[in-house]
Amino acid sequence: MSLVAEVPLGHDWAPVTRLMFDRDLPGVGRTVVVKTRRVDGAGHGGPTHLRREEAALRTAAPTGVTARLIASDQASGVVVTTDLEDWPTLESVLLGANAEAATRAVVEFGVAVGRLHAGTRGMGEG
């Protein structure tokens, strides 16, 4: 397998990159998303941020409403997930010109949050 392209998805404050391969990875697809920490110490984008990202993805996995965690290396500050590819963000739909699409997006977002809540309810207890 060979890497054929890297596409920056984030900004300086959110280093995220889509990696594209020459063929599909079994159960994953042809692309993955790599998130790296921005800083090594305290603060937004530091080690705590990626630990929380990993924990959230593991917790949400059974709900099917998030990307799937493929791998992580907290010592190196890297989290790799499946790629949601061209799923639009809620922000992009809300700021778009189509009011009907914006309404649908808010409702679908509410449904996804409900599924996430139902799927993780009680996990922190005990």
Side-chain angles (χ1 to χ4, degrees):
M1 171 180 10
S2 298
L3 180 65
V4 295
E6 294 180 42
V7 179
L9 300 176
H11 304 282
D12 290 342
W13 50 267
V16 180
T17 304
R18 175 180 288 133
L19 300 181
M20 303 167 118
F21 299 99
D22 62 344
R23 62 179 179 264
D24 283 355
L25 295 152
V28 172
R30 193 168 284 221
T31 60
V32 298
V33 172
V34 178
K35 297 180 179 186
T36 57
R37 67 175 170 240
R38 181 176 58 120
V39 296
D40 286 327
H44 183 72
T48 301
H49 177 75
L50 280 183
R51 279 196 302 273
R52 288 180 182 152
E53 175 88 14
E54 180 181 351
L57 289 169
R58 287 185 190 283
T59 301
T63 69
V65 299
T66 64
R68 286 184 297 112
L69 179 68
I70 296 171
S72 70
D73 183 337
Q74 291 298 324
S76 298
V78 177
V79 171
V80 181
T81 69
T82 55
D83 189 355
L84 299 177
E85 298 181 39
D86 49 0
W87 284 19
T89 64
L90 179 59
E91 177 187 30
S92 68
V93 177
L94 292 177
L95 296 176
N98 186 333
E100 187 176 315
T103 300
R104 256 191 335 273
V106 168
V107 170
E108 290 172 7
F109 178 72
V111 169
V113 169
R115 285 178 54 205
L116 179 61
H117 176 69
T120 58
R121 186 169 180 248
M123 290 184 85
E125 298 171 1

